[in-house]
Amino acid sequence: MTDEAKEQIRPVPPDVREDLFVVIAAFNEVASIEPVAREVRAMFPNVVVVDDGSTDGTLDVARRSAKYVLRHVINRGQGAALQTGIEFALRHGARFILTFDADGQHRVEDIPAMLEPIWRGECEITLGSRFLGKAVNIPSTRRNLLRLAVLFTKIVNRVKLTDAHNGLRAFSRRAAETIHITMDRMAHASELIDQIRLSGLPFREVPVEIRYTVYSLAKGQSSRGALRIVWQYLLGRVFQ
Amino acid sequence: MIMSLNLFQIITLAVLGCLLMTTIAAMVRRWVTRREGVVWSLVWLVAGVAIVWPAAIGVVAGLLGIGRGADLLIYCAVVVMMCGFMMVYVRLRHLRRDMTVLVRELAIRDAHTNLEPAASETAKDFSP
């Protein structure tokens, strides 16, 4: 961490830190889950890893590093895994819930800024935005794809966001109780935005930094994958 | 219009008769709802009429403006099949959703807790 980055980190009140549950959904992330979970846990005690039926030993590695490890015996998709983590957190008395990607593209240092508007009571949900913040080493194809996603969100979800599909999100308990992800696979990001709009819960975008590495890029969405997500989302809306 | 039935008609009518009896029996024993029973009975009866008197299909097709009875059958089959696919798909989605709920409950019930404290839990005066 650079000195510059250190200065930006906002303090988190101890009670907020204690009552925050960080939910990490992991599917075959054996290479990254341990450092990610350890890094988060060094700052926030309640780290919940939901292993979504991985076949590569993610479960054992996660058990060494996270405080709570849940396992989907059958792979159900990222949306389902996040909802599982959220429900677990709610049942364990969480007052704040934050979702964090397992591939190491998010920075733990961004968490305090994500939480601050919520514990100050300014809004119920914060969504990380790499375009308000910094996207390090973002390839141009990925940037354009994400711009398309923003446009899609603007038209279909009728919400104006700068970054529609960022895995870093924070919820108050009230927001987490209101929202329920039913789209099991990747279309949950769009579904979530729909639910936020319908619920009328106040939300805010917070600038965050995304680290694009060879690993996280390989784990991210290709253009074809993005089309598949749009298809899943539309099917999900039709057959609700 | 008593006429001689060919072998195909005899076999098919026998099968339809069995299906009708089974449906009625199932309805009486309440294995299926009354509505389901009536709908299926009607399907077997209509099929029986069409087998004994194939020209009837042609008459209905003519009323609908479709040239041949065979065409009407094909259209009906396509529509029924599409509806069938749709119903199976919707059921599959429900099943998947139920499966997720079940998998979720199992995951929460069998959650593994790591008792080894992390740095954030031991440091009393922690400030990030």
Side-chain angles (χ1 to χ4, degrees):
Chain A
M1 201 190 309
T2 62
D3 287 343
E4 190 196 351
K6 240 176 205 159
E7 277 167 30
Q8 292 169 350
I9 299 179
R10 318 273 306 188
V12 179
D15 62 313
V16 174
R17 211 158 51 82
E18 294 297 318
D19 294 340
L20 167 74
F21 279 65
V22 179
V23 174
I24 304 174
F27 176 59
N28 290 345
E29 300 276 11
V30 72
S32 66
I33 191 67
E34 188 163 12
V36 168
R38 278 197 196 284
E39 205 185 343
V40 176
R41 204 168 167 217
M43 231 162 130
F44 301 96
N46 301 313
V47 173
V48 183
V49 169
V50 183
D51 169 32
D52 193 17
S54 300
T55 51
D56 67 346
T58 296
L59 182 70
D60 297 328
V61 175
R63 280 183 174 168
R64 289 208 299 264
S65 44
K67 179 157 180 190
Y68 303 105
V69 181
L70 281 64
R71 174 165 174 86
H72 278 182
V73 288
I74 303 169
N75 175 259
R76 299 309 304 140
Q78 196 186 38
L82 289 175
Q83 183 62 38
T84 298
I86 289 169
E87 275 191 35
F88 176 83
L90 286 173
R91 290 188 202 177
H92 281 72
R95 278 168 58 222
F96 307 92
I97 296 172
L98 181 129
T99 62
F100 198 88
D101 281 2
D103 59 7
Q105 63 168 318
H106 296 317
R107 296 185 332 143
V108 179
E109 295 88 333
D110 284 328
I111 296 179
M114 293 288 295
L115 295 174
E116 190 163 328
I118 299 178
W119 62 258
R120 282 191 190 280
E122 293 163 8
C123 63
E124 302 279 343
I125 299 165
T126 53
L127 306 168
S129 170
R130 76 199 86 184
F131 297 120
L132 286 177
K134 257 201 301 195
V136 180
N137 296 331
I138 184 168
S140 60
T141 50
R142 186 59 60 90
R143 183 183 290 273
N144 290 332
L145 192 64
L146 285 160
R147 284 203 178 127
L148 268 179
V150 167
L151 189 69
F152 180 82
T153 309
K154 207 162 144 185
I155 297 167
V156 180
N157 307 110
R158 281 164 284 162
V159 176
K160 198 171 179 306
L161 293 173
T162 58
D163 184 3
H165 296 76
N166 193 311
L168 197 55
R169 307 180 181 96
F171 306 88
S172 66
R173 184 179 179 89
R174 187 161 85 95
E177 282 171 340
T178 309
I179 279 165
H180 191 93
I181 302 168
T182 61
M183 294 195 189
D184 286 342
R185 290 182 283 172
M186 296 308 280
H188 68 82
S190 300
E191 185 194 15
L192 197 74
I193 295 164
D194 276 339
Q195 292 201 10
I196 292 173
R197 177 173 56 84
L198 292 171
S199 68
L201 290 164
F203 68 94
R204 183 186 290 181
E205 279 193 300
V206 174
V208 299
E209 195 176 316
I210 299 286
R211 294 177 295 206
Y212 282 93
T213 59
V214 175
Y215 181 77
S216 75
L217 277 172
K219 280 282 179 176
Q221 293 302 329
S222 61
S223 309
R224 230 168 83 197
L227 266 182
R228 199 168 53 231
I229 294 169
V230 169
W231 176 238
Q232 279 168 20
Y233 170 73
L234 293 175
L235 274 179
R237 285 255 302 230
V238 172
F239 290 104
Q240 270 313 288
Chain B
M1 23 156 249
I2 300 297
M3 53 191 139
S4 60
L5 298 173
N6 63 33
L7 187 62
F8 168 74
Q9 287 172 315
I10 293 167
I11 294 172
T12 315
L13 277 179
V15 171
L16 284 173
C18 288
L19 286 170
L20 186 61
M21 300 292 246
T22 312
T23 306
I24 291 169
M27 206 161 62
V28 169
R29 291 179 194 181
R30 296 183 193 282
W31 292 346
V32 293
T33 64
R34 180 185 280 261
R35 208 173 70 184
E36 279 173 336
V38 169
V39 168
W40 281 110
S41 301
L42 279 176
V43 169
W44 309 136
L45 286 173
V46 170
V49 171
I51 291 293
V52 176
W53 186 32
I57 307 170
V59 173
V60 177
L63 286 176
L64 291 171
I66 299 167
R68 293 183 306 168
D71 289 345
L72 176 67
L73 280 185
I74 290 173
Y75 296 153
C76 285
V78 168
V79 169
V80 167
M81 247 160 58
M82 294 301 271
C83 289
F85 282 147
M86 206 68 148
M87 271 156 63
V88 170
Y89 179 71
V90 168
R91 250 186 214 200
L92 196 68
R93 285 190 73 94
H94 282 267
L95 208 62
R96 281 204 203 126
R97 189 166 295 187
D98 291 347
M99 184 157 86
T100 299
V101 171
L102 196 64
V103 167
R104 177 168 297 141
E105 282 305 319
L106 279 175
I108 293 174
R109 196 193 66 182
D110 299 338
H112 174 271
T113 305
N114 191 343
L115 298 171
E116 180 194 328
S120 58
E121 290 160 282
T122 48
K124 287 272 178 265
D125 57 343
F126 179 88
S127 56

